[in-house]
Amino acid sequence: AIHEFQNLHAMAKEKIHEFTRGHFYGHINFDLEKTLYMFIAGRYEFSNKGADIFIEALARLNQLLKNQLPDVTVVAFLIFPAKTNNFNVESLRGHAVIKQLRETINSVQQQIGKRMYETCLQGSLPDGNEILTKEDIVKIKRCLYSLQRDTNPPVTTHNIVDDWNDPV
């Protein structure tokens, strides 16, 4: 049914958004809802499988979007089997930082709900200054500080063996 397909699409898109949040943490200055995701996958034959044309098309699309739709972002996934020696640590760190932020926000939300509930039970309207405590702010600031980074996001999710000679 169409609605089932739409639900599956929404769930898959959220998983891709979550990956993007983790991979690009500290550089999420774009709207994920205005992000185009493009994929190429297959055997690792740079020219035969069209990776070279894909990358060239991305460059042309980049120029077009800069001029005509600057608020649209493209995230491209090139999925090829290649020799790796491990996961990219910076990529893994990003996912851990994002997970910690999500857990902290969820915890703060629960505490805010509990405080609001208790205040309302006493017949009072919750005061904005009492809902978000200094402790909550400290927790959130810690997460925000860990989101900062001075380097660009990694190009790959894995450490590619002999990456300086890799055509992609």
Side-chain angles (χ1 to χ4, degrees):
I2 291 178
H3 69 280
E4 289 179 40
F5 177 75
Q6 290 170 331
N7 289 341
L8 290 172
H9 179 266
M11 289 177 3
K13 187 173 182 180
E14 183 54 36
K15 286 181 181 180
I16 295 170
H17 281 341
E18 197 61 23
F19 173 84
T20 302
R21 288 182 189 106
H23 193 77
F24 292 99
Y25 83 95
H27 293 281
I28 301 281
N29 56 357
F30 54 90
D31 183 355
L32 289 175
E33 292 304 318
K34 292 183 178 180
T35 299
L36 300 174
Y37 293 106
M38 305 216 172
F39 300 84
I40 186 172
R43 292 187 316 270
Y44 197 7
E45 297 176 23
F46 186 69
S47 296
N48 290 344
K49 294 303 286 182
D52 54 344
I53 295 170
F54 182 75
I55 292 170
E56 177 61 31
L58 288 172
R60 291 180 186 190
L61 178 61
N62 185 45
Q63 286 303 314
L64 180 74
L65 291 176
K66 280 182 179 180
N67 296 329
Q68 296 181 9
L69 296 169
D71 60 336
V72 174
T73 301
V74 174
V75 174
F77 294 89
L78 289 81
I79 306 167
F80 296 113
K83 290 183 182 179
T84 62
N85 58 19
N86 212 334
F87 292 104
N88 183 303
V89 175
E90 189 62 20
S91 184
L92 289 175
R93 180 181 185 279
H95 294 286
V97 166
I98 294 302
K99 181 180 179 195
Q100 181 63 44
L101 174 64
R102 186 181 332 103
E103 290 171 356
T104 300
I105 296 297
N106 287 340
S107 171
V108 168
Q109 282 178 320
Q110 287 179 341
Q111 293 303 315
I112 287 173
K114 185 177 179 181
R115 286 191 287 272
M116 288 178 67
Y117 177 71
E118 294 297 328
T119 301
C120 289
L121 281 177
Q122 297 171 3
S124 300
L125 188 62
D127 181 2
N129 294 328
E130 296 171 1
I131 293 175
L132 190 63
T133 66
K134 289 182 181 180
E135 182 182 286
D136 294 336
I137 293 171
V138 168
K139 288 178 185 177
I140 294 169
K141 280 185 177 180
R142 283 184 190 148
C143 288
L144 291 177
Y145 288 135
S146 66
L147 280 174
Q148 297 175 357
R149 87 170 154 194
D150 299 331
T151 60
N152 285 327
V155 174
T156 62
T157 56
H158 294 70
N159 296 327
I160 307 293
V161 173
D162 197 27
D163 62 348
W164 50 91
N165 290 320
D166 189 280
V168 173

